[in-house]
Amino acid sequence: MKEISAGAIREELKEMFRLWLSPSFAGGFRARTGNELSESLPIADYSDPVLPLVFPMLQHQGIPCKPLVAVGDRVLKNQVIGAPPENGVPIFSSVSGTVRNIRPVPHPLGDMVTGVIIDNDHLFETASYPYEPCDPFSLDRQQILDRVRYAGLVGMGGAGYPTYLKLDPGEDKPIRHILINSCESEPYVTGNFRLLVEEPDKMLDGLKILMFLFPEAEGVICMENDKPDAYRRLKEFVAVQDNIRVVTLQAKYPQGSEKQLIHTVTGAEIPTGSTPADLGCLVLNLETLLAVSAAVREGHPLLEKVVTITGDCVSAPKNFRVPLGTSMKELLEQTGELLKDPERIVCGGPIMGTVVNTADIPVIKTSSCLLLLSEDITPPAVESECIRCGKCLQVCPMRLRPSLLNKLVLAGDIKGFEAAYGMNCIECGACQYICPAGRLLLQTCLSGKRAVIEASGTGSGEATS
């Protein structure tokens, strides 16, 4: 049996305490995870869908794309089927086939938007693409940004902000910290963690490309402290890299929120109306980083997404890598018979995800999870009067008073809502998730923010990364 020295034991104990004492932000909470259902499962490729693929023309923040094809057209993989608006990015077909229809389709965020429906011919014939594989470090800044924009990259953690715009903050905003957000503080969602474990080489390549764009910046890979084995492996992987480090943060919700992540790592707070770039920070989701590597080094457009199919109703949860446009219903069928009837079907995590009536929803650039929860986990919501327990105040990461904001909106006091800093809400939903009275705190706060914007013609909501 191999002997372990006293020094090695001391170092191991120091590392354990360091992980335990990982930094965090005020507020938030540790949710029931559910991650154990899928976090140990390698990503499975499901590359040849059977059902028609559906491509909503809205897959980034802003104005939708316009269809560039017509019913009956034959399309090729890599072909642009959605023309981007100004400051937008294109949408590509992830398969070859025939356009079956162009009509309003269900969007994972709950709306109906124009969508292009394509029958997969399973041939995967590919259209020519203007960019060839190359050495990224032989390109200039504009060439890199052009590749990122043309590839259709957006924030793949849920926000959907065009990546090329984030990578071009302006000369007056020098970037000092590039934060790679691999935190998955929403319960059940495990795709980012699997990418962290399975593809650290591509992650590091994407980070090096960003640091080539911002040579004065430090690269910081951010992960939660409840995965010590993954942390140790990743730390060894980047040990020989200059100006790149791995940090662990407390595993609680909403650690993945952009404002909270920046505050935890750098100590800086983003004032209302400011952006991370104003503080010298750039925050990218881990999967977006891998897409940067594919777009710039390999010359590939964004055609696929990693999604988790899970929940206590699912008999065999899985992490899938699938072509964009794939039906979540088809993926669910690959996980076996349901164990229970779902009380709730959610696109995304249980806190910020969108409750939908059907699993027949397409995978888009910002999809992360399809979650099927039984009544045992999520009993039917019954809203009752506020019991003044104060839990919403305790968990709010922005130190707001959600119960007061709820009261002001319901009373129609929009000026009072604004005076109570309601516009600072980051829409994380922690207050509503924790409320024992079932108050619709997030929904009323969203209504209040919309009312302020409509009344003044200014202002904007915040989004998590």
Side-chain angles (χ1 to χ4, degrees), residues 210-250:
L210 297 190
M211 296 179 73
F212 180 68
L213 286 177
F214 304 100
E216 302 301 319
E218 171 195 39
V220 186
I221 302 168
C222 308
M223 63 182 297
E224 291 163 306
N225 66 347
D226 57 351
K227 302 174 179 68
D229 292 339
Y231 165 74
R232 293 186 185 97
R233 288 196 300 271
L234 190 59
K235 189 176 179 182
E236 291 175 1
F237 191 82
V238 303
V240 298
Q241 305 298 324
D242 293 333
N243 214 22
I244 296 177
R245 61 189 173 102
V246 185
V247 300
T248 56
L249 313 173
Q250 282 188 29

Side-chain angles (χ1 to χ4, degrees), residues 173-188:
K173 298 177 182 179
I175 300 299
R176 298 185 298 275
H177 304 283
I178 300 174
L179 308 183
I180 304 309
N181 184 5
S182 65
C183 298
E184 282 175 320
S185 47
E186 275 245 43
Y188 294 95

Side-chain angles (χ1 to χ4, degrees), residues 27 390-397 399-404 431 434:
K391 288 186 177 181
C392 61
L393 282 71
Q394 295 170 12
V395 302
C396 178
R399 299 186 288 276
L400 304 176
R401 298 177 62 189
S403 56
L404 173 62
C431 55
I434 207 74

Side-chain angles (χ1 to χ4, degrees), residues 255-452:
Q255 192 65 265
S257 168
E258 199 168 60
K259 285 189 174 184
Q260 278 59 53
L261 191 71
I262 290 172
H263 177 65
T264 304
V265 175
T266 71
E269 294 196 19
I270 305 178
T272 301
S274 298
T275 67
D278 293 327
L279 299 179
C281 294
L282 183 69
V283 182
L284 265 79
N285 166 267
L286 174 64
E287 197 168 2
T288 308
L289 187 69
L290 270 63
V292 168
S293 174
V296 179
R297 180 179 291 280
E298 301 172 25
H300 289 168
L302 180 55
L303 300 179
E304 60 186 21
K305 188 74 175 69
V306 173
V307 293
T308 304
I309 310 295
T310 188
D312 68 319
C313 298
V314 180
S315 56
K318 284 185 171 63
N319 296 298
F320 287 107
R321 178 182 279 107
V322 302
L324 293 175
T326 301
S327 170
M328 291 280 199
K329 177 183 176 182
E330 182 172 348
L331 298 178
L332 179 61
E333 291 171 352
Q334 306 304 308
T335 65
E337 295 291 329
L338 293 180
L339 298 174
K340 311 172 186 177
D341 291 330
E343 169 66 28
R344 183 173 296 180
I345 303 175
V346 184
C347 277
I351 305 175
M352 288 191 68
T354 303
V355 178
V356 294
N357 296 323
T358 174
D360 196 10
I361 299 289
V363 173
I364 65 172
K365 296 176 183 181
T366 57
S367 297
S368 62
C369 182
L370 184 73
L371 183 59
L372 283 81
L373 299 176
S374 73
E375 190 172 312
D376 298 334
I377 301 295
T378 175
V382 179
E383 189 175 16
S384 61
E385 291 298 318
C386 174
I387 62 174
R388 301 184 181 182
C389 65
K391 288 186 177 181
C392 61
L393 282 71
Q394 295 170 12
V395 302
C396 178
M398 297 303 293
R399 299 186 288 276
L400 304 176
R401 298 177 62 189
S403 56
L404 173 62
L405 296 174
N406 175 259
K407 181 179 179 181
L408 292 169
V409 172
L410 293 178
D413 186 359
I414 302 305
K415 289 186 177 179
F417 171 85
E418 190 172 12
Y421 303 102
M423 296 303 289
N424 285 5
C425 170
I426 63 170
E427 304 170 16
C428 70
C431 55
Q432 184 165 303
Y433 188 83
I434 207 74
C435 178
R439 304 291 295 171
L440 300 179
L441 302 174
L442 175 59
Q443 274 86 336
T444 51
C445 199
L446 291 173
S447 297
K449 293 178 74 173
R450 283 194 296 268
V452 170

